[in-house]
Amino acid sequence: MVAGLHTQHDPQRGRCFKPRRLHADKAYDAPTLRRWLWGKHIGVRIARKGIESSKRLGRRRWVIERTLSWLSGYHRLSPRYERHPSNYLAFLGLAAALCCYKRLLHLTT
């Protein structure tokens, strides 16, 4: 996923933005991954197996887990019924827009 991530170019500042830090749980604790991210100049915050708890990473990871949970509520997306990737991405965008709309309604009322 990180390898497929494209940097975003800001035309006003004339520079590219890339991820600064990766937060992950113990399942991603591998020396090869740490070295690869270090080569890409991306900071690493991965809980080490047997040394530290992954509970401290929860504040940042919870946002991602919550959003994926909201998207999995749309049953058409879960088993991926669509054959064409463009259709799947369209439904994914629609589901994300509906999630944002529901969240906005919840925050304003």
Side-chain angles (χ1 to χ4, degrees), residues 65-106:
E65 299 289 334
R66 178 197 63 195
T67 306
L68 290 175
S69 173
W70 287 346
L71 289 176
S72 68
Y74 294 94
H75 298 291
R76 187 172 186 117
L77 296 176
S78 296
R80 189 165 179 184
Y81 290 120
E82 299 300 322
R83 292 183 183 175
H84 301 289
S86 59
N87 291 348
Y88 180 75
L89 287 176
F91 279 117
L92 187 63
L94 183 61
L98 286 172
C99 287
C100 290
Y101 177 70
K102 288 179 181 179
R103 181 73 175 152
L104 181 65
L105 275 178
H106 179 70

Side-chain angles (χ1 to χ4, degrees), residues 23-29 45-47 54 57 61:
H23 295 267
D25 58 0
K26 293 179 184 183
Y28 297 97
D29 184 26
R45 183 64 184 110
I46 302 174
S54 59
L57 297 172
R61 285 183 51 230

Side-chain angles (χ1 to χ4, degrees), residues 9-76:
H9 179 70
D10 185 9
Q12 294 175 350
R13 295 183 183 176
R15 50 188 263 203
C16 293
F17 293 98
K18 64 178 182 173
R20 293 184 189 164
R21 194 171 279 266
L22 174 76
H23 295 267
D25 58 0
K26 293 179 184 183
Y28 297 97
D29 184 26
T32 55
L33 178 63
R34 287 180 185 271
R35 272 188 257 118
W36 184 80
L37 290 169
W38 184 77
K40 297 278 186 188
H41 303 288
I42 298 174
V44 178
R45 183 64 184 110
I46 302 174
R48 294 187 201 125
K49 292 179 183 175
I51 297 176
E52 58 185 316
S53 172
S54 59
K55 290 181 181 178
R56 293 182 59 204
L57 297 172
R59 289 182 291 160
R60 304 223 190 262
R61 285 183 51 230
W62 182 80
V63 175
I64 303 299
E65 299 289 334
R66 178 197 63 195
T67 306
L68 290 175
S69 173
W70 287 346
L71 289 176
S72 68
Y74 294 94
H75 298 291
R76 187 172 186 117

